[in-house]
Amino acid sequence: MHKRRLGVVAAAAGIALLAACSSGNGTPTSTAGATTGAAATTPAAPVTITYEVWAGTQTPAMKEIAAAFTKENPNITVNVQELPWPQYWSTLQTGAQGGTAPDAFWMLAQQIRPYAAGGQLLDISDEIKAENVDLSKYPKAVIDLYDQGDGKIYGLPKDFDTNAVWYNKALFDAAGVAYPTADWTWADFRATAKALTKKGVWGTAAPIDYQSGYYNTIFQAGGRVIAADGKHAALDTPEAIKGIQFWTDIMKDGSSPTLQQMSDTEAETIFEQGKVAMYMSGAYWALQLYNNTALRPNIGVAPLPVGPAGRATVSSGIENVGFAGTKHPQEVKKFLLFASGQEAANIQAKSGAVLPAYAGTEQTWMSAMPDFKDLQVFIDASKYAVPLPVQGNAAEWQGLQTQYLTPAWNGQVPVEQAAKDYSAAIDKVLAAG
């Protein structure tokens, strides 16, 4: 399963502020950190820390990173634990409240706020300063996404992503349709999707997907998701409405499976089955598609189409963070810096698992999948990327998208009305703090 950005678990989204916990998991506390007397020369006791992740395609690389860290730190063993996406967040919430959260784990920008505000995350600012970590090596947009305004640093990015259009060359060839060009427009995309839609094949897929879908077109139309003051939604502005209507027009054309069909079978799966010709998604999907050896020779990548206001793609990334209640804070801090550092980034890159956040490792990632000739598109997209909107309790208000946007996707209400209703709902969440 590739790295998921959607389907935020309601339980995780709905929590107010997680209560701080003082207990943690793992083996007995080590003597690491002793600096005086006999203890200073006594080898640290062996420690095992847990590192929880959710994406199956990345797990082998995460285990290799853990092993590389232990090679450098023989007394610290890292136990990588993988959970399915929904279970990951529900388990993390329960663990943070009960003091049984993993020592280290992955975090998303739209999920971090309640954990940080509740004192659940380890502050690694001191370790970053002590180790002279160069923050300029990481995409500023991703660093800024995780800034909670409290002067603390809770983690560092392990990866980042931009969006592009994955397409099936065989379906283009069968329909006699030209491949996408670097300068194609919204009108070109829509016309191409119509031309590719034949019996049993759709030109594209248009799920209600904020990160891979309508956020991108909102910015391409010159709109915003959240107003500049960060206190109000902006989905009901003419520009944002135009960005949403890009997708409802595609649904109206019949160029996409219905929402019900994409509920029964995920859009990504329909694409991999050869029934969808184009699909907007992130760099994180690359390895899964590459591992589909039957589909691999037919895969192409094109930039997102140019909108009325120009180019844009939202960008985000996973951060490695630690649990404030861990019994091994120094060991965890050390691992977090390693897991987001250059050596770990190169391990990720060589596996093709994900586009690393550490500058200078992008070419290694592309070289890991030599049959994909167009991956540079994702790197180039960083030049016009905008940060994923995550103001306030983003997990909560993003979790409302299906409720408010489904009627517009299904043609039951005008886009303007759906956007107005959703904006009002977002405003309530933002006002709640």
Side-chain angles (χ1 to χ4, degrees), residues 98-403:
T100 59
D103 299 293
F105 49 94
W106 287 357
M107 178 55 64
L108 290 178
Q110 55 266 51
Q111 294 279 5
I112 191 173
R113 184 172 177 271
Y115 292 93
Q120 302 294 340
L121 301 180
L122 199 62
D123 180 8
I124 64 170
S125 305
D126 55 348
E127 196 75 9
I128 287 175
K129 184 177 181 180
E131 296 298 325
N132 295 314
V133 175
D134 184 359
L135 295 182
S136 70
K137 292 293 186 180
Y138 304 93
K140 186 177 184 300
V142 182
I143 291 284
D144 291 347
L145 276 178
Y146 287 88
D147 185 353
Q148 299 300 297
D150 56 6
K152 299 178 180 179
I153 300 177
Y154 296 107
L156 291 172
K158 62 172 285 294
D159 59 51
F160 80 100
D161 50 65
T162 57
N163 294 291
V165 178
W166 296 94
Y167 65 94
N168 187 323
K169 296 177 183 178
L171 295 181
F172 274 74
D173 293 343
V177 177
Y179 298 157
T181 61
D183 58 351
W184 66 332
T185 65
W186 279 14
D188 296 328
F189 184 93
R190 186 176 180 183
T192 300
K194 283 183 180 180
L196 290 164
T197 301
K198 308 290 183 181
K199 185 176 180 179
V201 174
W202 291 276
T204 189
I208 301 175
D209 179 336
Y210 61 81
Q211 184 160 349
S212 296
Y214 67 94
Y215 280 12
N216 300 286
T217 48
I218 285 174
F219 284 108
Q220 290 163 9
R224 299 178 63 97
V225 177
I226 303 296
D229 63 7
K231 300 178 180 178
H232 303 282
L235 292 179
D236 54 352
T237 62
E239 295 83 4
I241 289 170
K242 187 180 294 185
I244 296 172
Q245 191 165 349
F246 172 94
W247 298 96
T248 59
D249 284 346
I250 286 171
M251 297 298 289
K252 188 186 302 182
D253 292 341
S255 298
S256 166
T258 65
L259 290 182
Q260 182 58 55
Q261 287 170 320
M262 289 183 285
S263 175
D264 295 339
T265 306
E266 288 189 335
E268 296 93 332
T269 301
I270 302 175
F271 180 91
E272 291 198 57
Q273 291 172 341
K275 298 178 182 178
V276 162
M278 302 185 293
Y279 188 61
M280 292 189 189
S281 190
Y284 48 80
W285 200 21
L287 184 60
Q288 180 169 322
L289 290 175
Y290 200 78
N291 288 339
N292 187 332
T293 54
L295 187 62
R296 184 194 300 173
N298 298 322
I299 292 294
V301 186
L304 295 180
V306 180
R311 296 190 182 277
T313 175
V314 293
S315 181
S316 185
I318 294 174
E319 275 207 341
N320 288 307
V321 300
F323 179 43
T326 178
K327 293 179 179 178
H328 314 294
Q330 296 309 314
E331 291 88 346
V332 172
K333 288 178 183 181
K334 195 169 189 177
F335 173 69
L336 293 177
L337 265 58
F338 182 90
S340 291
Q342 185 174 17
E343 183 177 350
N346 276 314
I347 290 173
Q348 290 186 99
K350 289 176 183 177
S351 73
V354 72
L355 180 54
Y358 199 91
T361 60
E362 301 91 344
Q363 183 58 54
T364 302
W365 174 73
M366 291 188 288
S367 298
M369 295 168 283
D371 292 350
F372 283 177
K373 306 300 183 183
D374 307 317
L375 294 178
Q376 182 66 38
V377 167
F378 291 105
I379 313 301
D380 293 343
S382 64
K383 300 172 185 175
Y384 50 84
V386 295
L388 180 75
V390 293
Q391 288 84 348
N393 194 340
E396 182 175 353
W397 57 259
Q398 287 171 350
L400 300 174
Q401 64 172 2
T402 302
Q403 175 184 346

Side-chain angles (χ1 to χ4, degrees), residues 68-83:
F69 174 76
T70 298
K71 185 177 181 180
E72 290 187 9
N73 304 273
N75 288 318
I76 309 175
T77 299
V78 180
N79 180 17
V80 179
Q81 300 174 341
E82 178 190 329
L83 289 177

